[in-house]
Every structure is written in C-alpha cells, then in structure tokens.
Amino acid sequence: MEPKLVFDYFSQINKVPRPSKKEEKIIAFLQGWAKEHGIDCKTDEAGNVLMSKGATPGMENKATVVFQGHMDMVCEKTSDRVIDFENDPIETYIDGDWMRAKGTTLGADDGIGVAIGMALLTDDKLEHGPIECLFTRDEETGLTGAFAIQPGFMTGKYLINLDSEDEGEIFIGCAGGANTEATLDVEMEALPAKYFPIRLSIDKLRGGHSGDDINKHRPNAIKLLARFLYEIQNKYDMRLVDFQGGNLHNAIPRQAEAIIAVPAADKENVRVDFNIFSSEIEEEYHDEASLHTLLESTTATECIKKEIADKFILALTAVDNGVYEMSIDLPGLVETSSNLASVHLVDKQIKIVTSQRSSINSQRKAMSASVSAALQLAGFKTVTADGYPGWKPNADSPLLKIAVEKYKELFGKEPKVRAIHAGLECGLFSQKYPGMDMISFGPTLRGVHSPDECLLIPTVEMVWKHIIAILKDIPNA
C-alpha cells in the first residue's frame, strides 16, 4: 500500500486507544514520536499538539502551511464485538481496495489525516517551505480542542484540513451546529396484573454520520421504534417499561429497543402487528440489507406512569429528524437538518440527545427551537448548547486556486469544489485566525461513525501526490 510511510503511521496510530475526551494516550504517543524523530513539538493547555518542520533548501521564503487533523475517533462497534476502546487496539484488515476494521469503527476519521501529517514531517524526499502539523483533540464530541486554540499557537498563512471524506472534492465551507438535550424525571408504578411484557428491538442499521449521511435515506432506529409504539399505543392499553436507543450525538442511531407490556389477551395481536410493521420498513428501506427486528417475551414488574409514557411516545414521534431544508445557493447541499441521536432511560430519568446543523446560523437556531418545543410539550426540560460556527466559503481563495490547478495537472480532471453539511474545525479556526486561507480534502471514507467505516486505499496515494504538488507551488510569505 502506498504511500508506505502513511500506512505505517496509520498502523501505529491504530494501536493507541483514542476515544473522544480520552486522548491522553495518543497525546503521549505523538509527543514521544516527535522527540524520537527530533521534531519540534509543543502542546497547549487543552492537549492540542503542534509539530513544526523547517523548509527544504531553496524554499525558505515560502509561506508556512499548516496541515490539520484530529487525533480522537468515534468508538462504535457491532453488538457481537467484544472490545475495550480505552485499552485495546483497532484491528484492521484489507478487503480488496478497502481497509476495514473487525467489528468496529476504523478510526480513519481522522487517523489517516494524522498519519499523513506525520509522514510529511519525516519524509526527507519532499520539497516544501515551512510546515506545521496541528493535531487537535476531541473533535468528535464537542470540538473542544479547536475551541481552545489560542491566537499565535499556529503561525501558518495557509491551512489544509485533512478531515474530509471524498477524494476529488475540495471543501471550502461547512455547517455550524449545536446539540439540544432534554431530560424528564419519570414516576414508575406497578405493572397491572395479567399484563404480558414484550421486548422490541430494531438494530443492525447502517447508521452513519449525522451530517454527511443525513440525506442518504438512512433510517433512524429510534424514530422507527417510536413509530411502532405510537401505532400500538392507539390500539391497545400499552404500558412502557423501558426505552434505550442510539449512542453518539453525531451518529445516526443504528439500534433501539423498548420493553412494553400489554394485556395478555393482546400479546398475539401485537406480535402480528410487529411482523407487519417489520415487513413495511424492510420494503421502505430495502437497501438496508442487514436491518434486523426482534420481538420476544421478557420480564418486568413496573412501568412508567401511563400519562408520562404516552406523552414521551408522542414527543419521539413528533420531534424533527432528518433533512429540513436544502440550500438554494449550492445545489445538492443540505442546508439545515436535525438528528435524534440517543434516548436512554436511566435511574428514573429519560435523557434525549439531538443535534442540529445548518449553513445559516438563524436556521440552526430555528431548528433547535423546533426540537425543543416538541419535547417541552411532553414535559421535558431542554437545553441547547452554544454550538460551533460554520465556515463561510471563499471562492476566491488563493490556496483553493493552487489546489484546483495542481489536481487538474495530476489527474486530468476538475475536482469538485463544494461545502459540506458536516462540521469542520475550520469554522473555529477562522474566528481565531481571520486572515488564514483554508481548504479541506482527504481520501475517500465510507460508513464513518459506524462499524462499516472503511478507507479506499488507492485514494490515499492520490491525496499524498496532491499535497506534494501543492507544497511546491505555495507562494512566498
């Protein structure tokens, strides 16, 4: 696999646990690696790591270029995979032209970006001006590292973010976003006599990234299960015992389960209804080859008070999820969306996590308000975080012009220049470094934020060649 240096470093990175908010081991690894290779390295109070490399002879007058990726990864796994993400390595394998992981996320988002940066710092055959490589922490669950970056930590005039997922596409803008969380304390009561407890589950969906994949007809397991509960709530004297679904705020939920109870006389009717419902959603989402539904008997002695449970199911059914509006300025770009990310009943409290994204801040605020209102009607207390800013496109970017020209020279075709509905740290960098010229690109990834995550191996070499060509043509400072 080429470039060998990049894949060697990616292999090393995948041996180091790096869940979001628990990056201490990867920070220590990077610091030790820099010391071993004699590379200038500094770490700020937040844990962001910046490494620097001087220019090669004859290129000292070039402007400094920052290459940036985040060191943390989304830790998702299949239900049958046993792994401790805080201590165990990611196990990878090759599937034709794709690299995958055994039952977990691969970590190429954004481990491959970090590996490219490390290779740039150690490949002595390259011709380049001054280089800085910034490795940020906790991008996936709050952009904590990027929020904490202080003016002056970086010195580069140009920045190339290596956290995009479609080779041949250069990104010059991204959506801003915020999480809306809701909580509701619930009262439990004894399950009525002669009620039959049933466990319902929907799982093995593809899921995916709540920004980049929100418009790809990916079903949300929580919304599907809520849809069935709403249906039978209106047919039977149903009681809700438990509801659990989703995991990460930025992932489309792949699984959800509920425990309900109905009068024993209705249990077979519920089974028939669930079979019909399962057939309907399999037809609706026929491209979800692994979609799995299950109904089985279970045990329970208490349930949520009926009036609370009924309102909860109404709220899950009503709350916005998916694409809300498409951009009128950039065809094909999702402008505003919301993701119902997780629902968990723990210690007699229901907690719901959602995320809203938009290229327009006022639209994002309106979307968050809509989600809050639906949940407040059911009695939930809601809080919307401050969120993170979008990154306004600059079609006249000098760095963009260089990148487009070099891509055409290398591959004989025009790259696509576009904005992305997912969040990128560039929005925060643009606030701290308003004069910095930025673009984002990277190798092709699929299934990010899910165990289906995979990396298209040949595109890594294409990105590498593109970077080398850009570095040779960077203007003088």
Side-chain angles (χ1 to χ4, degrees):
M1 295 185 294
E2 295 293 340
K4 184 177 184 301
L5 198 56
V6 173
F7 283 104
D8 284 348
Y9 287 140
F10 185 52
S11 177
Q12 292 180 37
I13 290 168
N14 268 342
K15 293 181 174 66
V16 184
R18 56 190 197 283
S20 300
K21 297 196 185 305
K22 297 179 180 179
E23 298 95 345
E24 289 74 19
K25 291 180 180 179
I26 189 67
I27 292 171
F29 166 78
L30 291 170
Q31 292 169 331
W33 178 87
K35 184 176 181 180
E36 176 188 348
H37 289 84
I39 294 170
D40 290 338
C41 177
K42 61 180 180 179
T43 306
D44 67 10
E45 292 183 1
N48 299 305
V49 177
L50 184 77
M51 301 184 193
S52 305
K53 181 182 181 182
T56 54
M59 305 197 58
E60 294 86 355
N61 293 330
K62 296 281 187 183
T64 300
V65 181
V66 181
F67 291 91
Q68 184 267 323
H70 63 85
M71 64 182 84
D72 62 316
M73 67 173 282
V74 168
C75 295
E76 283 277 86
K77 68 181 189 67
T78 55
S79 56
D80 59 345
R81 179 72 162 93
V82 178
I83 185 172
D84 178 358
F85 281 112
E86 294 183 36
N87 293 290
D88 297 338
I90 300 299
E91 298 180 41
T92 63
Y93 66 97
I94 306 304
D95 178 15
D97 280 341
W98 295 89
M99 178 181 285
R100 304 178 185 272
K102 296 180 180 178
T104 69
T105 36
L106 175 63
D109 176 17
D110 186 28
I112 197 66
V114 175
I116 289 171
M118 294 167 69
L120 288 170
L121 291 164
T122 53
D123 191 335
D124 293 331
K125 299 187 294 293
L126 303 182
E127 298 176 35
H128 57 79
I131 289 175
E132 293 180 341
C133 289
L134 173 65
F135 307 126
T136 51
R137 73 179 303 173
D138 191 29
E139 187 268 351
E140 299 288 5
T141 61
L143 299 166
T144 306
F147 267 110
I149 289 285
Q150 294 300 309
F153 188 61
M154 299 181 281
T155 65
K157 180 177 181 179
Y158 302 104
L159 183 143
I160 298 177
N161 170 279
L162 298 170
D163 191 25
S164 293
E165 300 159 6
D166 292 279
E167 192 285 321
E169 298 186 358
I170 300 173
F171 294 92
I172 59 171
C174 71
N179 289 353
T180 298
E181 299 187 2
T183 55
L184 176 67
D185 293 327
V186 300
E187 296 180 54
M188 309 295 287
E189 60 185 5
L191 200 63
K194 297 184 180 179
Y195 269 57
F196 189 81
I198 301 170
R199 183 190 308 275
L200 307 168
S201 68
I202 298 173
D203 64 5
K204 298 184 180 179
L205 302 178
R206 279 183 296 174
H209 191 287
S210 62
D212 199 41
D213 296 322
I214 200 71
N215 62 335
K216 295 177 182 175
H217 197 60
R218 304 280 176 89
N220 180 312
I222 295 171
K223 291 292 284 186
L224 288 181
L225 191 54
R227 175 171 143 188
F228 179 71
L229 295 181
Y230 177 80
E231 177 183 315
I232 62 170
Q233 174 181 268
N234 293 321
K235 294 178 67 174
Y236 311 107
D237 186 22
M238 184 196 80
R239 305 303 167 93
L240 181 64
V241 176
D242 192 20
F243 195 108
Q244 308 288 339
N247 186 13
L248 302 171
H249 77 95
N250 53 4
I252 300 169
R254 304 175 63 247
Q255 55 77 33
E257 74 168 39
I259 297 176
I260 64 170
V262 295
D266 292 325
K267 66 178 183 180
E268 287 306 317
N269 291 331
V270 171
R271 188 183 302 276
V272 171
D273 289 342
F274 192 68
N275 287 339
I276 293 171
F277 174 75
S278 297
S279 296
E280 289 174 347
I281 63 172
E282 286 173 5
E283 183 177 351
E284 285 180 36
Y285 298 99
H286 54 83
D287 53 341
E288 289 279 336
S290 61
L291 187 157
H292 178 258
T293 60
L294 177 68
L295 181 151
E296 60 183 1
S297 60
T298 186
T299 59
T301 59
E302 60 178 7
C303 60
I304 302 171
K305 274 197 168 183
K306 183 167 174 54
E307 58 269 28
I308 298 174
D310 288 352
K311 288 182 180 179
F312 165 60
I313 293 169
L314 289 173
L316 287 188
T317 305
V319 72
D320 281 305
N321 181 79
V323 176
Y324 179 73
E325 195 160 313
M326 301 295 290
S327 172
I328 59 173
D329 297 319
L330 294 171
L333 175 67
V334 177
E335 184 172 270
T336 306
S337 73
S338 185
N339 178 52
L340 176 55
S342 66
V343 179
H344 292 287
L345 171 58
V346 180
D347 296 331
K348 298 183 180 180
Q349 184 185 72
I350 299 172
K351 181 176 181 180
I352 298 176
V353 177
T354 71
S355 64
Q356 293 77 51
R357 302 174 187 265
S358 183
S359 308
I360 301 173
N361 192 45
S362 58
Q363 278 274 19
R364 197 280 301 158
K365 289 180 178 179
M367 186 81 263
S368 296
S370 177
V371 169
S372 293
L375 297 173
Q376 287 169 9
L377 285 171
F380 281 84
K381 296 178 181 178
T382 64
V383 175
T384 298
D386 291 337
Y388 56 90
W391 168 30
K392 186 176 180 180
N394 176 17
D396 295 323
S397 154
L399 182 58
L400 173 64
K401 292 178 180 178
I402 295 169
V404 168
E405 185 61 33
K406 293 303 169 185
Y407 192 90
K408 288 192 294 185
E409 289 178 7
L410 283 168
F411 307 116
K413 57 182 179 180
E414 288 266 0
K416 295 179 181 178
V417 177
R418 51 179 294 229
I420 190 172
H421 189 56
L424 291 171
E425 290 158 295
C426 297
L428 288 164
F429 299 149
S430 66
Q431 289 189 332
K432 307 288 181 66
Y433 297 82
M436 185 177 279
D437 188 0
M438 298 180 288
I439 59 173
S440 176
F441 60 84
T444 298
L445 302 177
R446 291 293 178 264
V448 295
H449 296 189
S450 82
D452 295 326
E453 181 186 357
C454 53
L455 167 67
L456 187 55
I457 295 168
T459 63
V460 178
E461 185 173 18
M462 295 176 73
V463 168
W464 180 253
K465 289 179 177 178
H466 192 197
I467 289 171
I468 292 171
I470 291 170
L471 280 173
K472 290 180 180 179
D473 219 29
I474 291 293
N476 289 343

